Amino acid sequence: MSGTLNADGIEQAARRLEPVVRRTALEENQRLSELLGSRILLKREDSQVCRSYKVRGAFNLVSSLTDDEQRRGVVCASAGNHGQGVAFACRRLGIRGRVFVPSNTPRQKRERIEAFGGDMVELVVVGSTYDEASAAAHWDSERTGAVYVHPFDDVRTMAGQGTVAREITQQCDTAVDTVLVPVGGGGLISGIAVWLRAHSPHTRIVGAEPAGAASMRAALAHGGPVALPELDSFVDGAAVGKVGERAFPLVKELVDEVVAVDEGAVCTEMLDLYQTDGIIAEPAGALASAAARQVVSGTGPGAVVCVVSGGNNDVSRYADVVERSLVHVGLRHYFLVTFPQQPGALRHFLDEVLDKGEDIVAFEYVKKNNRETGPALVGIELERPQDLDSLLRRMGDSPLSIERIAPGSPWFSFLL
């Protein structure tokens, strides 16, 4: 859609959304405040309708369609949360819709799309990435005449998502020093930036995107939106291969900084949010507060706000979340150990290489020859990250052939 995103449009969106969305809490987080030495507030969009801010943009766009456009129906592509918002809007407004999602969309999100949409919405699973699902949805729109509801690169979507910032400025009882915002395609941070520059111009705005899908940083370096050659889809709610054409110039002009956050750091923050704060955040929902550890230092006169963008996390993913977190904080390490075919080789490894508090958490032969020997993949968990140095010294002194598999290496991604 053509047009200019401005604060007046966000104000109009807020009035349109008022009877529909929740005014989510802005609450102080003691854990992060003590850790970082600043007053950290969490904007709890995980408790929003559909458990994500995405409903704000989706409903604002769908509810603004003309009668003719509503009769033609709508179509969208989504990693999950936008699809839930579109489904909610379709059922609430009585409009037919189709939601295209990639195959890596968590089952929990697929089921919620169907639940919110009821018989008004058809769920279509296609492709392995958001961009493939988006291409299929665009083709469907051209073929059928259904209106394409963009998840981030439409002025109406961005205006609806910008209402998050409007609430922040109304709710905060002090000056807002910094706002940290998760970044996927750029719609949320564009809306937030437009509102803050009009109503809180001195607030520092920081975008946080996953290191494996840092499409906004790539666009800023390139001078315009550019497709990433590779994409890690773990942070599915923010794994976008190319940022929006309308969102990019707003981010370039209005946003102070965009940082990349390691997926392991996101997982660690997800676990801290759950275990300490009782907040169930999806990976994208933990991006902003994970990034706070990188960009917040010392006590300032105002508050630091982190947007917890969504809480649609599939519990079946927690094993992977724990694994990535343990690797990130240096408590879990993997090695290729070649055991000679002689009695006592494994006993030597257990008695002479491993020390107290060092546990084997994975053991699997990677390849066997006709004598039933070969390298074993061994996962070891430590009590403290600093114990790694002594473990590596004992491995170096051992007669066994032991090779460490470094996180991020091709071996690591291939074997694990």
Side-chain angles (χ1 to χ4, degrees):
M1 175 187 173
S2 61
T4 302
L5 179 64
N6 53 46
D8 288 341
I10 294 171
E11 184 68 41
Q12 293 171 16
R15 291 196 292 269
R16 185 178 288 118
L17 293 172
E18 188 174 2
V20 178
V21 305
R22 294 173 186 152
R23 184 182 175 90
T24 56
L26 182 68
E27 57 189 31
E28 187 161 355
N29 185 270
Q30 182 178 356
R31 170 181 60 87
L32 288 169
S33 296
E34 293 177 354
L35 177 67
L36 301 176
S38 296
R39 186 185 181 206
I40 308 295
L41 306 176
L42 301 183
K43 180 58 173 166
R44 296 288 307 280
E45 286 296 290
D46 58 295
S47 62
Q48 183 55 267
V49 175
C50 306
R51 296 209 291 269
S52 166
Y53 76 94
K54 286 284 191 177
V55 69
R56 295 175 183 264
F59 196 93
N60 188 55
L61 194 161
V62 175
S63 63
S64 66
L65 297 179
T66 65
D67 291 343
D68 176 64
E69 289 173 327
Q70 291 187 12
R71 283 191 294 270
R72 284 153 45 196
V74 300
V75 61
C76 78
S78 172
N81 287 342
H82 177 63
Q84 292 181 58
V86 171
F88 174 85
C90 285
R91 190 170 187 176
R92 178 86 175 228
L93 299 170
I95 298 171
R96 293 282 176 186
R98 283 179 300 282
V99 178
F100 287 74
V101 299
S103 59
N104 66 341
T105 301
R107 178 181 300 177
Q108 183 263 0
K109 290 186 178 181
R110 298 188 208 178
E111 292 174 348
R112 296 304 295 165
I113 289 169
E114 294 178 317
F116 281 120
D119 59 4
M120 298 301 296
V121 170
E122 176 187 0
L123 179 68
V124 183
V125 180
V126 59
S128 59
T129 66
Y130 164 77
D131 295 279
E132 292 174 346
S134 178
H138 275 292
W139 180 83
D140 183 83
S141 174
E142 294 171 2
R143 179 180 62 87
T144 65
V147 177
Y148 184 81
V149 182
H150 206 291
F152 52 81
D153 210 33
D154 186 293
V155 170
R156 294 163 294 184
T157 303
M158 293 187 283
Q161 295 172 357
T163 60
V164 172
R166 179 179 178 271
E167 290 183 12
I168 290 172
T169 55
Q170 291 176 343
Q171 292 171 302
C172 195
D173 58 2
T174 187
V176 180
D177 278 353
T178 303
V179 173
L180 291 106
V181 187
V183 176
L188 175 63
I189 196 168
S190 296
I192 285 178
V194 166
W195 180 267
L196 290 178
R197 290 295 172 248
H199 294 275
S200 185
H202 300 297
T203 296
R204 180 186 180 204
I205 304 171
V206 179
E209 58 184 353
S215 52
M216 187 61 76
R217 284 169 60 87
L220 291 168
H222 180 73
V226 58
L228 294 177
E230 296 180 359
L231 189 74
D232 184 338
S233 61
F234 176 76
V235 186
D236 52 292
V240 176
K242 183 179 180 181
V243 300
E245 297 286 344
R246 293 182 177 87
F248 170 75
L250 292 170
V251 172
K252 182 180 179 181
E253 178 187 356
L254 304 177
V255 173
D256 295 286
E257 183 181 7
V258 178
V259 299
V261 185
D262 184 88
E263 280 77 4
V266 172
C267 292
T268 300
E269 178 62 13
M270 286 177 67
L271 294 174
D272 286 345
L273 284 166
Y274 176 65
Q275 295 173 331
T276 303
D277 308 322
I279 297 173
I280 298 174
E282 61 188 271
L287 262 174
S289 50
R293 303 182 190 222
Q294 298 177 208
V295 303
V296 177
S297 59
T299 302
V304 176
V305 177
C306 302
V307 179
V308 183
S309 59
N312 286 301
N313 194 45
D314 191 332
V315 294
S316 66
R317 304 182 72 191
Y318 268 107
D320 191 17
V321 170
V322 172
E323 172 77 18
R324 287 175 181 250
S325 174
L326 288 171
V327 170
H328 173 73
V329 300
L331 292 179
R332 185 167 292 184
H333 303 270
Y334 288 89
F335 305 87
L336 284 175
V337 183
T338 301
F339 292 97
Q341 187 173 233
Q342 62 186 48
L346 179 58
R347 174 53 58 190
H348 166 81
F349 183 79
L350 296 174
D351 292 344
E352 303 299 327
V353 176
L354 296 188
D355 202 355
K356 182 180 179 181
E358 297 170 354
D359 297 325
I360 293 178
V361 293
F363 189 99
E364 181 180 356
Y365 278 105
V366 177
K367 182 180 180 181
K368 295 182 180 180
N369 61 23
N370 57 6
R371 294 182 299 170
E372 296 296 312
T373 62
L377 173 66
V378 182
I380 298 174
E381 191 166 314
L382 309 177
E383 285 189 341
R384 303 174 304 167
Q386 55 266 39
D387 293 338
L388 177 63
D389 289 341
S390 60
L391 172 63
L392 293 177
R393 282 196 298 271
R394 280 179 263 119
M395 287 182 167
D397 295 338
S398 169
L400 298 174
S401 173
I402 304 175
E403 179 183 356
R404 184 185 177 198
I405 306 174
S409 70
W411 272 108
F412 194 90
S413 58
F414 178 75
L415 292 172
L416 300 170

